[in-house]
Amino acid sequence: MAQNPYGKVPVLVDGDGVIYESAVINEYLDEKFNDLPLMPKSQLDRAKVRIWVDFFNTRVHPTGSDLQKERDPEKARARMAQHLRAIDDALVGKDYLVNNQFTLADLTFIPFYTRRERYKVNLDDYPNAKRWAESLVARPQVAPTL
Ligand SMILES: N[C@@H](CCC(=O)N[C@@H](CS)C(=O)NCC(=O)O)C(=O)O
């Protein structure tokens, strides 16, 4: 945490390099270890992944934090419902958010989903999002870490 000028976690130290911001760390690790690529080949699909990652990190997670800390909870609940509706709509008939492949877009939702009780959120009204989230946490690379 002291290594991150923003004073936050996560922070990754790789040799002489200090990398922070989870979205940047995730792309860095994906580029470094390419046995299971988590970014699509097409430039347009990579942009779509980054848009979802930004959506989760700048909208969904902060709204969850507002709910947890009960900051203007009614407005936060309405915002969260909008966010979950957008996710649910994007997943109609689909297993993944972008290009029918597991990418950093899907991965970025996992920490939110595993903390959903803290955020007072459940996905019962969002069946596509719920099916997708359950499949994400059941992945063999994810389940043992929970
Ligand atoms: N945008 C940053 C957010 C990092 C963040 O907010 N980390 C929290 C923990 S989840 C933290 O370090 N909080 C301690 C603090 O703010 O003092 C990222 O995605 O890495």
Side-chain angles (χ1 to χ4, degrees):
M1 210 150 146
Q3 309 246 30
N4 180 346
Y6 300 160
K8 296 197 174 210
V9 289
V11 56
L12 175 71
V13 179
D14 187 22
D16 291 339
V18 176
I19 301 126
Y20 45 93
E21 282 301 310
S22 56
V24 178
I25 291 172
N26 286 344
E27 281 208 40
Y28 180 87
L29 291 173
D30 183 55
E31 286 175 10
K32 182 156 180 152
F33 303 102
N34 47 18
D35 44 334
L36 175 63
L38 296 176
M39 285 296 268
K41 288 208 164 28
S42 124
Q43 184 186 18
L44 179 60
D45 285 338
R46 287 199 299 280
K48 289 180 186 172
V49 168
R50 293 183 181 117
I51 289 168
W52 277 112
V53 169
D54 179 74
F55 174 71
F56 293 134
N57 286 342
T58 66
R59 291 166 197 263
V60 177
H61 277 282
T63 304
S65 170
D66 287 345
L67 287 170
Q68 182 185 3
K69 295 181 177 147
E70 301 194 340
R71 285 189 291 250
D72 211 344
E74 227 163 276
K75 280 194 183 152
R77 263 195 298 279
R79 268 203 318 281
M80 183 59 80
Q82 259 186 349
H83 298 332
L84 296 176
R85 173 59 49 218
I87 297 167
D88 197 66
D89 287 350
L91 287 163
V92 175
K94 290 170 64 180
D95 290 335
Y96 300 109
L97 288 168
V98 180
N99 196 33
N100 210 27
Q101 106 182 71
F102 178 65
T103 67
L104 292 180
D106 309 289
L107 178 142
T108 301
F109 189 75
I110 294 172
F112 175 83
Y113 187 63
T114 58
R115 294 182 205 144
R116 64 193 179 284
E117 284 180 15
R118 192 189 300 180
Y119 296 146
K120 302 174 185 134
V121 160
N122 76 62
L123 295 186
D124 291 346
D125 293 335
Y126 308 94
N128 303 299
K130 187 169 182 175
R131 166 184 49 78
W132 164 75
E134 288 296 313
S135 80
L136 297 180
V137 294
R139 291 180 71 82
Q141 301 88 347
V142 179
T145 69
L146 300 178

